[in-house]
Amino acid sequence: RLTQAQNLGLRGDEAILWARTRAFLNPNTQQWNAPGLGNNIEQITRDQSRRQQAIQKAIATAQFSDNTVILSVPNQAEHTQASKAIAAPSAPEVEADIQADLVDDMLSLDL
């Protein structure tokens, strides 16, 4: 879905939110499959936006004193935890873009 969002010209947080929301569409029926969210786009989008913001906040607060962010990435084949270290930006204006890229990377993992 992220590739579809990018093909539509969406980028960054907007593309991620679009992809997360559309992930609830049943590919066979094209019906929403999110009964806990009322099966409507407004509630699904609101929920996915809230979750996306929580991920971004977690990434931002996971910085260590050496400006490294550690992300736990599950290994599907072995069902174990691996760590991926990513250098955090020092300039606040760059941080949001890098965090969006990190979220893009996380969402593109084949889990």
Side-chain angles (χ1 to χ4, degrees):
R1 297 293 182 160
L2 189 55
T3 300
Q4 291 174 327
Q6 291 171 339
N7 289 342
L8 291 171
L10 302 173
R11 299 288 181 261
D13 290 346
E14 187 179 25
I16 295 167
L17 182 57
W18 188 93
R20 289 177 62 99
T21 300
R22 289 341 180 262
F24 285 91
L25 275 175
N26 181 315
N28 298 322
T29 65
Q30 295 303 306
Q31 300 282 324
W32 294 109
N33 187 12
L37 299 172
N39 281 330
N40 72 64
I41 193 169
E42 293 83 14
Q43 285 183 265
I44 296 168
T45 301
R46 186 175 25 253
D47 177 67
Q48 292 307 300
S49 177
R50 179 187 61 79
R51 291 171 181 270
Q52 183 175 331
Q53 290 171 7
I55 291 169
Q56 290 173 338
K57 183 177 179 182
I59 290 169
T61 59
Q63 293 183 8
F64 293 89
S65 61
D66 64 351
N67 265 357
T68 299
V69 177
I70 304 297
L71 301 175
S72 292
V73 181
N75 182 323
Q76 184 178 16
E78 299 174 353
H79 300 288
T80 61
Q81 292 283 327
S83 293
K84 178 179 180 184
I86 300 171
S90 57
E93 62 273 7
V94 176
E95 186 172 340
D97 289 336
I98 291 177
Q99 288 178 2
D101 289 342
L102 290 172
V103 173
D104 282 344
D105 290 345
M106 289 172 50
L107 292 175
S108 70
L109 295 173
D110 185 21
L111 303 177

